[in-house]
Coordinates of all heavy atoms in Angstrom, one line a residue:
M26 N 28.0 -30.1 -134.6 CA 27.4 -29.7 -133.3 C 25.9 -29.8 -133.5 O 25.3 -29.1 -134.3 CB 27.9 -28.4 -132.8 CG 27.3 -28.0 -131.4 SD 27.9 -26.5 -130.8 CE 27.0 -26.3 -129.3
N27 N 25.3 -30.6 -132.7 CA 23.8 -30.7 -132.8 C 23.2 -29.8 -131.8 O 23.3 -29.9 -130.6 CB 23.4 -32.1 -132.5 CG 21.9 -32.4 -132.8 OD1 21.2 -31.5 -133.1 ND2 21.5 -33.6 -132.6
T28 N 22.5 -28.8 -132.3 CA 21.8 -27.8 -131.4 C 20.3 -28.0 -131.3 O 19.6 -27.2 -130.7 CB 22.1 -26.4 -132.0 OG1 21.5 -26.3 -133.3 CG2 23.5 -26.0 -131.9
S29 N 19.8 -29.1 -131.8 CA 18.4 -29.3 -131.7 C 18.0 -29.7 -130.2 O 18.7 -30.3 -129.5 CB 18.0 -30.5 -132.6 OG 18.6 -31.6 -132.2
H30 N 16.8 -29.3 -129.9 CA 16.3 -29.5 -128.5 C 15.1 -30.4 -128.6 O 14.3 -30.3 -129.5 CB 15.9 -28.2 -127.8 CG 17.1 -27.3 -127.7 ND1 18.0 -27.4 -126.7 CD2 17.4 -26.2 -128.3 CE1 18.9 -26.4 -126.8 NE2 18.5 -25.7 -127.8
P31 N 15.0 -31.3 -127.7 CA 13.8 -32.2 -127.6 C 12.6 -31.4 -127.4 O 12.5 -30.5 -126.6 CB 14.1 -33.2 -126.5 CG 15.1 -32.5 -125.6 CD 15.9 -31.6 -126.6
I32 N 11.5 -31.8 -128.1 CA 10.2 -31.1 -127.9 C 9.4 -31.7 -126.8 O 9.2 -32.9 -126.7 CB 9.4 -31.1 -129.2 CG1 10.2 -30.5 -130.4 CG2 8.1 -30.4 -129.0 CD1 9.5 -30.6 -131.7
A33 N 9.0 -30.9 -125.8 CA 8.2 -31.4 -124.7 C 6.8 -31.6 -125.1 O 6.0 -30.7 -125.3 CB 8.3 -30.4 -123.5
E34 N 6.5 -32.8 -125.4 CA 5.1 -33.2 -125.8 C 4.2 -33.7 -124.7 O 3.1 -34.0 -124.9 CB 5.2 -34.2 -127.0 CG 5.9 -33.6 -128.2 CD 5.8 -34.6 -129.3 OE1 5.3 -35.7 -129.1 OE2 6.3 -34.3 -130.4
N35 N 4.8 -33.8 -123.5 CA 4.1 -34.4 -122.4 C 3.5 -33.3 -121.5 O 3.2 -33.5 -120.4 CB 4.9 -35.3 -121.6 CG 6.1 -34.6 -121.0 OD1 6.5 -33.5 -121.5 ND2 6.8 -35.2 -120.1
S36 N 3.3 -32.1 -122.1 CA 2.7 -31.0 -121.4 C 1.2 -30.9 -121.6 O 0.5 -31.9 -121.8 CB 3.4 -29.7 -121.7 OG 3.3 -29.5 -123.1
I37 N 0.7 -29.7 -121.8 CA -0.8 -29.6 -122.0 C -1.1 -30.0 -123.5 O -0.2 -30.0 -124.3 CB -1.2 -28.1 -121.8 CG1 -0.4 -27.2 -122.7 CG2 -1.1 -27.8 -120.3 CD1 -0.9 -25.8 -122.6
G38 N -2.3 -30.3 -123.7 CA -2.7 -30.6 -125.1 C -3.4 -31.9 -125.2 O -4.2 -32.1 -126.1
S39 N -3.0 -32.8 -124.3 CA -3.7 -34.2 -124.4 C -4.8 -34.2 -123.5 O -4.7 -34.0 -122.3 CB -2.6 -35.2 -124.0 OG -2.2 -35.0 -122.7
P40 N -6.0 -34.4 -124.0 CA -7.2 -34.5 -123.1 C -7.2 -35.7 -122.2 O -6.8 -36.8 -122.6 CB -8.4 -34.5 -124.1 CG -7.8 -35.2 -125.3 CD -6.4 -34.7 -125.4
T41 N -7.7 -35.5 -121.0 CA -7.9 -36.6 -120.1 C -9.3 -36.7 -119.7 O -10.1 -35.8 -119.9 CB -7.0 -36.4 -118.8 OG1 -7.5 -35.2 -118.2 CG2 -5.6 -36.2 -119.2
L42 N -9.7 -37.8 -119.1 CA -11.1 -38.0 -118.8 C -11.5 -37.0 -117.7 O -12.6 -36.5 -117.8 CB -11.3 -39.4 -118.2 CG -12.7 -40.0 -118.2 CD1 -12.6 -41.6 -118.1 CD2 -13.5 -39.5 -117.1
E43 N -10.6 -36.7 -116.8 CA -11.0 -35.8 -115.7 C -11.3 -34.4 -116.3 O -12.1 -33.6 -115.7 CB -9.9 -35.7 -114.7 CG -9.8 -37.0 -113.9 CD -8.8 -36.8 -112.7 OE1 -8.1 -35.9 -112.8 OE2 -8.8 -37.7 -111.9
Q44 N -10.6 -34.0 -117.4 CA -10.9 -32.7 -117.9 C -12.3 -32.6 -118.5 O -12.8 -31.5 -118.7 CB -9.8 -32.4 -119.0 CG -8.5 -32.1 -118.5 CD -7.5 -31.8 -119.6 OE1 -7.2 -32.6 -120.4 NE2 -6.9 -30.6 -119.6
H45 N -12.9 -33.7 -118.9 CA -14.2 -33.7 -119.5 C -15.3 -33.8 -118.4 O -16.5 -33.5 -118.7 CB -14.4 -34.8 -120.5 CG -13.5 -34.6 -121.7 ND1 -13.6 -33.5 -122.5 CD2 -12.5 -35.3 -122.3 CE1 -12.8 -33.5 -123.5 NE2 -12.1 -34.7 -123.4
V46 N -14.9 -34.3 -117.2 CA -15.9 -34.4 -116.2 C -16.1 -33.1 -115.4 O -15.1 -32.7 -114.8 CB -15.6 -35.6 -115.2 CG1 -16.6 -35.7 -114.1 CG2 -15.5 -36.9 -116.0
T47 N -17.2 -32.5 -115.5 CA -17.5 -31.3 -114.7 C -18.5 -31.5 -113.7 O -19.5 -32.2 -113.9 CB -17.9 -30.1 -115.7 OG1 -19.1 -30.5 -116.3 CG2 -16.8 -29.9 -116.7
G48 N -18.4 -30.8 -112.5 CA -19.4 -31.0 -111.5 C -18.7 -30.8 -110.1 O -17.5 -30.6 -110.0
P49 N -19.5 -30.9 -109.1 CA -20.9 -31.2 -109.2 C -21.7 -29.9 -109.6 O -21.4 -28.8 -109.2 CB -21.3 -31.6 -107.7 CG -20.3 -30.9 -106.9 CD -19.0 -30.8 -107.7
H50 N -22.7 -30.1 -110.4 CA -23.7 -29.1 -110.8 C -24.9 -29.3 -109.9 O -25.3 -30.4 -109.6 CB -24.0 -29.2 -112.3 CG -22.9 -29.1 -113.2 ND1 -22.2 -27.9 -113.4 CD2 -22.2 -30.0 -113.9 CE1 -21.2 -28.1 -114.3 NE2 -21.2 -29.3 -114.6
W51 N -25.5 -28.2 -109.6 CA -26.8 -28.3 -108.8 C -28.0 -28.3 -109.7 O -28.1 -27.7 -110.7 CB -26.9 -27.0 -107.9 CG -25.9 -27.0 -106.8 CD1 -24.7 -26.4 -106.8 CD2 -25.9 -27.8 -105.6 NE1 -24.0 -26.6 -105.6 CE2 -24.7 -27.5 -104.8 CE3 -26.9 -28.6 -105.0 CZ2 -24.5 -28.0 -103.6 CZ3 -26.6 -29.2 -103.7 CH2 -25.4 -28.9 -103.1
E52 N -28.9 -29.2 -109.3 CA -30.2 -29.3 -110.0 C -30.9 -27.9 -109.9 O -30.6 -27.1 -109.1 CB -31.0 -30.4 -109.4 CG -30.5 -31.8 -109.6 CD -30.7 -32.3 -111.0 OE1 -31.3 -31.5 -111.9 OE2 -30.4 -33.5 -111.3
L53 N -31.9 -27.8 -110.7 CA -32.7 -26.5 -110.7 C -33.3 -26.3 -109.3 O -33.8 -27.3 -108.7 CB -33.8 -26.6 -111.8 CG -33.3 -26.6 -113.2 CD1 -34.4 -26.8 -114.2 CD2 -32.5 -25.4 -113.5
P54 N -33.3 -25.1 -108.8 CA -33.9 -24.8 -107.5 C -35.4 -25.2 -107.4 O -35.9 -25.4 -106.3 CB -33.7 -23.3 -107.4 CG -32.6 -22.9 -108.3 CD -32.8 -23.9 -109.5
S55 N -36.1 -25.3 -108.6 CA -37.5 -25.6 -108.5 C -37.7 -27.1 -108.1 O -38.8 -27.5 -107.7 CB -38.1 -25.4 -109.9 OG -37.4 -26.2 -110.9
I56 N -36.7 -27.9 -108.2 CA -36.8 -29.3 -107.8 C -36.6 -29.4 -106.3 O -35.6 -28.9 -105.7 CB -35.7 -30.1 -108.5 CG1 -35.8 -30.0 -110.0 CG2 -35.8 -31.6 -108.0 CD1 -34.8 -30.8 -110.7
S57 N -37.6 -29.9 -105.6 CA -37.7 -29.9 -104.2 C -36.5 -30.8 -103.6 O -35.8 -30.3 -102.7 CB -39.0 -30.5 -103.7 OG -39.2 -31.8 -104.2
N58 N -36.4 -32.0 -104.1 CA -35.3 -32.8 -103.6 C -34.0 -32.6 -104.5 O -33.5 -33.6 -105.1 CB -35.7 -34.3 -103.6 CG -36.1 -34.8 -104.9 OD1 -36.4 -34.0 -105.8 ND2 -36.2 -36.1 -105.1
A59 N -33.6 -31.4 -104.5 CA -32.5 -31.1 -105.4 C -31.2 -31.9 -105.0 O -30.9 -32.1 -103.8 CB -32.2 -29.6 -105.3
T60 N -30.5 -32.3 -106.0 CA -29.3 -33.0 -105.8 C -28.3 -32.5 -106.8 O -28.5 -31.6 -107.5 CB -29.5 -34.5 -106.0 OG1 -28.3 -35.2 -105.7 CG2 -29.9 -34.8 -107.4
T61 N -27.1 -33.1 -106.8 CA -26.1 -32.7 -107.7 C -25.9 -33.7 -108.8 O -26.3 -34.8 -108.7 CB -24.8 -32.5 -107.0 OG1 -24.4 -33.7 -106.3 CG2 -24.9 -31.4 -105.9
Y62 N -25.3 -33.2 -109.9 CA -25.0 -34.1 -111.0 C -23.7 -33.7 -111.6 O -23.2 -32.6 -111.5 CB -26.2 -34.2 -112.0 CG -26.4 -32.8 -112.7 CD1 -25.8 -32.6 -114.0 CD2 -27.1 -31.8 -112.2 CE1 -25.9 -31.4 -114.6 CE2 -27.3 -30.6 -112.8 CZ -26.7 -30.4 -114.1 OH -26.9 -29.2 -114.7
W63 N -23.2 -34.7 -112.4 CA -21.9 -34.5 -113.1 C -22.2 -34.6 -114.6 O -23.1 -35.3 -115.0 CB -20.9 -35.5 -112.7 CG -20.2 -35.1 -111.4 CD1 -19.0 -34.6 -111.3 CD2 -20.7 -35.3 -110.1 NE1 -18.7 -34.4 -109.9 CE2 -19.7 -34.9 -109.2 CE3 -21.9 -35.8 -109.6 CZ2 -19.9 -34.9 -107.8 CZ3 -22.1 -35.9 -108.2 CH2 -21.1 -35.4 -107.4
R64 N -21.4 -33.8 -115.4 CA -21.6 -33.8 -116.8 C -20.3 -34.0 -117.6 O -19.3 -33.4 -117.1 CB -22.3 -32.5 -117.2 CG -22.5 -32.4 -118.7 CD -22.9 -31.0 -119.1 NE -24.2 -30.7 -118.6 CZ -24.7 -29.5 -118.3 NH1 -23.9 -28.4 -118.4 NH2 -25.9 -29.3 -117.8
C65 N -20.4 -34.7 -118.7 CA -19.2 -34.8 -119.6 C -19.3 -33.6 -120.6 O -20.3 -33.5 -121.3 CB -19.2 -36.1 -120.3 SG -17.9 -36.2 -121.5
T66 N -18.3 -32.9 -120.7 CA -18.3 -31.7 -121.6 C -18.1 -32.1 -123.1 O -18.3 -31.3 -123.9 CB -17.2 -30.7 -121.2 OG1 -15.9 -31.4 -121.3 CG2 -17.4 -30.1 -119.8
S67 N -17.7 -33.3 -123.3 CA -17.5 -33.8 -124.7 C -18.8 -34.4 -125.3 O -19.2 -34.0 -126.4 CB -16.4 -34.8 -124.7 OG -16.2 -35.3 -126.0
C68 N -19.5 -35.2 -124.6 CA -20.7 -35.8 -125.1 C -21.9 -35.3 -124.4 O -23.0 -35.7 -124.8 CB -20.6 -37.4 -125.0 SG -20.5 -38.0 -123.4
N69 N -21.8 -34.5 -123.4 CA -22.9 -33.8 -122.7 C -23.8 -34.8 -121.9 O -24.9 -34.5 -121.6 CB -23.7 -33.0 -123.6 CG -22.9 -31.8 -124.1 OD1 -22.2 -31.2 -123.3 ND2 -23.1 -31.4 -125.4
R70 N -23.3 -36.0 -121.7 CA -24.1 -36.9 -120.9 C -24.0 -36.5 -119.4 O -22.9 -36.1 -118.9 CB -23.7 -38.4 -121.1 CG -24.1 -38.9 -122.5 CD -24.1 -40.4 -122.5 NE -24.7 -40.8 -123.7 CZ -24.9 -42.1 -124.0 NH1 -24.5 -43.1 -123.2 NH2 -25.5 -42.5 -125.2
E71 N -25.1 -36.8 -118.7 CA -25.1 -36.4 -117.3 C -25.5 -37.5 -116.4 O -26.2 -38.4 -116.8 CB -26.1 -35.2 -117.1 CG -25.8 -34.0 -117.9 CD -27.0 -33.0 -117.9 OE1 -28.1 -33.4 -117.4 OE2 -26.8 -31.9 -118.3
S72 N -25.0 -37.5 -115.1 CA -25.4 -38.5 -114.2 C -25.3 -37.9 -112.8 O -24.5 -37.0 -112.5 CB -24.5 -39.7 -114.3 OG -24.8 -40.7 -113.3
I73 N -26.2 -38.4 -111.9 CA -26.1 -37.9 -110.5 C -25.0 -38.6 -109.7 O -24.7 -38.3 -108.6 CB -27.5 -38.2 -109.8 CG1 -27.8 -39.7 -109.7 CG2 -28.6 -37.4 -110.5 CD1 -29.1 -40.0 -108.9
R74 N -24.4 -39.6 -110.3 CA -23.3 -40.4 -109.7 C -22.0 -40.1 -110.4 O -21.9 -40.3 -111.6 CB -23.6 -41.9 -109.7 CG -24.8 -42.2 -108.8 CD -24.9 -43.7 -108.6 NE -25.0 -44.4 -109.9 CZ -25.0 -45.7 -110.0 NH1 -24.8 -46.5 -109.0 NH2 -25.1 -46.2 -111.2
E75 N -21.1 -39.5 -109.7 CA -19.8 -39.1 -110.3 C -19.1 -40.3 -110.9 O -18.5 -40.2 -112.0 CB -18.9 -38.4 -109.3 CG -17.6 -37.9 -109.9 CD -16.8 -37.2 -108.9 OE1 -17.0 -37.4 -107.7 OE2 -15.8 -36.6 -109.3
E76 N -19.2 -41.5 -110.3 CA -18.4 -42.6 -110.8 C -18.9 -43.1 -112.2 O -18.2 -43.7 -112.9 CB -18.5 -43.8 -109.8 CG -20.0 -44.2 -109.5 CD -20.5 -43.7 -108.2 OE1 -20.1 -42.5 -107.9 OE2 -21.2 -44.4 -107.5
D77 N -20.1 -42.8 -112.5 CA -20.6 -43.1 -113.8 C -19.8 -42.4 -114.9 O -19.6 -43.0 -116.0 CB -22.1 -42.7 -114.0 CG -23.0 -43.6 -113.2 OD1 -22.6 -44.7 -112.9 OD2 -24.2 -43.3 -113.1
L78 N -19.4 -41.2 -114.6 CA -18.6 -40.5 -115.6 C -17.2 -41.1 -115.9 O -16.6 -40.9 -116.9 CB -18.4 -39.0 -115.2 CG -19.5 -38.1 -115.4 CD1 -19.8 -37.9 -116.9 CD2 -20.8 -38.5 -114.8
Y79 N -16.8 -41.9 -115.0 CA -15.4 -42.5 -115.1 C -15.5 -43.9 -115.8 O -14.5 -44.6 -115.8 CB -14.7 -42.6 -113.8 CG -14.3 -41.2 -113.3 CD1 -15.2 -40.5 -112.5 CD2 -13.1 -40.7 -113.7 CE1 -14.8 -39.2 -112.1 CE2 -12.7 -39.4 -113.3 CZ -13.6 -38.7 -112.5 OH -13.3 -37.4 -112.1
R80 N -16.7 -44.3 -116.2 CA -16.9 -45.5 -117.0 C -16.9 -45.2 -118.5 O -17.7 -44.4 -118.9 CB -18.2 -46.3 -116.6 CG -18.1 -46.9 -115.2 CD -19.3 -47.9 -115.1 NE -19.7 -48.1 -113.7 CZ -20.7 -47.5 -113.2 NH1 -21.5 -46.7 -114.0 NH2 -21.1 -47.6 -112.0
P81 N -16.0 -45.8 -119.2 CA -16.0 -45.5 -120.7 C -17.3 -45.9 -121.3 O -17.7 -45.2 -122.3 CB -14.8 -46.4 -121.2 CG -13.9 -46.7 -120.0 CD -14.9 -46.7 -118.8
T82 N -18.0 -46.8 -120.8 CA -19.2 -47.3 -121.4 C -20.4 -46.2 -121.2 O -21.4 -46.3 -121.9 CB -19.7 -48.6 -120.9 OG1 -19.7 -48.6 -119.5 CG2 -18.7 -49.7 -121.3
F83 N -20.1 -45.3 -120.3 CA -21.1 -44.3 -120.0 C -21.2 -43.3 -121.1 O -22.2 -42.7 -121.4 CB -20.8 -43.6 -118.7 CG -21.7 -42.5 -118.4 CD1 -23.0 -42.7 -117.8 CD2 -21.4 -41.2 -118.6 CE1 -23.8 -41.6 -117.5 CE2 -22.2 -40.1 -118.3 CZ -23.4 -40.3 -117.7
H84 N -20.1 -43.1 -121.9 CA -20.0 -42.0 -122.9 C -20.4 -42.6 -124.2 O -20.5 -43.7 -124.5 CB -18.6 -41.5 -122.9 CG -18.1 -41.0 -121.6 ND1 -18.3 -39.6 -121.2 CD2 -17.6 -41.6 -120.5 CE1 -17.8 -39.4 -120.0 NE2 -17.4 -40.6 -119.5
T85 N -20.7 -41.6 -125.1 CA -21.0 -42.0 -126.5 C -19.8 -42.5 -127.2 O -18.7 -42.3 -126.8 CB -21.6 -40.7 -127.2 OG1 -20.6 -39.7 -127.2 CG2 -22.8 -40.2 -126.6
A86 N -20.0 -43.1 -128.3 CA -18.9 -43.8 -129.1 C -17.9 -42.8 -129.6 O -16.7 -43.1 -129.7 CB -19.5 -44.6 -130.2
D87 N -18.4 -41.6 -129.9 CA -17.5 -40.6 -130.4 C -17.0 -39.6 -129.4 O -16.4 -38.5 -129.7 CB -18.1 -39.8 -131.6 CG -19.4 -39.1 -131.1 OD1 -19.9 -39.5 -130.0 OD2 -19.9 -38.2 -131.8
C88 N -17.2 -39.9 -128.1 CA -16.8 -39.0 -127.0 C -15.3 -39.0 -126.9 O -14.6 -40.0 -127.1 CB -17.4 -39.4 -125.7 SG -16.9 -38.4 -124.3
E89 N -14.7 -37.9 -126.6 CA -13.3 -37.7 -126.6 C -12.6 -38.5 -125.4 O -11.4 -38.6 -125.4 CB -12.9 -36.2 -126.5 CG -13.2 -35.4 -127.7 CD -12.8 -34.0 -127.6 OE1 -12.0 -33.7 -126.6 OE2 -13.2 -33.2 -128.4
V90 N -13.3 -38.9 -124.5 CA -12.7 -39.7 -123.4 C -12.1 -41.0 -123.8 O -11.3 -41.5 -123.2 CB -13.8 -39.9 -122.2 CG1 -14.3 -38.6 -121.7 CG2 -14.8 -40.9 -122.7
H91 N -12.6 -41.5 -124.9 CA -12.1 -42.8 -125.5 C -10.7 -42.6 -126.0 O -10.0 -43.5 -126.3 CB -13.0 -43.3 -126.5 CG -14.4 -43.7 -126.0 ND1 -14.6 -44.6 -125.0 CD2 -15.6 -43.1 -126.2 CE1 -15.9 -44.7 -124.7 NE2 -16.5 -43.8 -125.4
E92 N -10.3 -41.3 -126.2 CA -9.0 -41.1 -126.8 C -7.9 -40.8 -125.7 O -6.8 -40.6 -126.0 CB -9.0 -39.8 -127.7 CG -10.0 -40.0 -128.9 CD -10.2 -38.7 -129.6 OE1 -9.4 -37.8 -129.4 OE2 -11.1 -38.7 -130.5
C93 N -8.3 -40.9 -124.5 CA -7.4 -40.7 -123.4 C -6.4 -41.9 -123.2 O -6.9 -43.0 -123.4 CB -8.1 -40.5 -122.1 SG -9.2 -39.0 -122.1
Ligands
LIG124 ZN1 -18.3 -38.2 -122.6

């Protein structure tokens, strides 16, 4: 009798690109034309355009988004 159970590996634990994209963050209040920006929590690169964060070429070579 085989009592082993399959291990659920498709749950949490695998990083995705969206998990690294944080925002929108607000620019400093001292900036008159304040706008928002997005940041990657893995390589800390920032952009005022969210779509930039979803381009693999936007991130550094060792950024974790390449492992998604
Ligand atoms: Zn990144």
Side-chain angles (χ1 to χ4, degrees):
M26 181 175 178
N27 189 357
T28 57
S29 63
H30 298 282
I32 302 174
E34 296 182 359
N35 58 347
S36 58
I37 58 175
S39 58
T41 63
L42 202 161
E43 289 184 349
Q44 283 180 304
H45 291 300
V46 176
T47 61
H50 301 286
W51 290 98
E52 294 280 7
L53 295 176
S55 58
I56 301 176
S57 58
N58 58 344
T60 183
T61 57
Y62 66 94
W63 280 259
R64 174 189 295 151
C65 174
T66 58
S67 181
C68 63
N69 290 323
R70 287 201 171 180
E71 302 169 347
S72 177
I73 61 174
R74 294 188 302 171
E75 184 181 11
E76 58 261 35
D77 284 346
L78 277 296
Y79 290 91
R80 287 198 207 98
T82 53
F83 176 83
H84 301 267
T85 59
D87 59 343
C88 182
E89 292 182 11
V90 302
H91 297 296
E92 301 174 7
C93 298

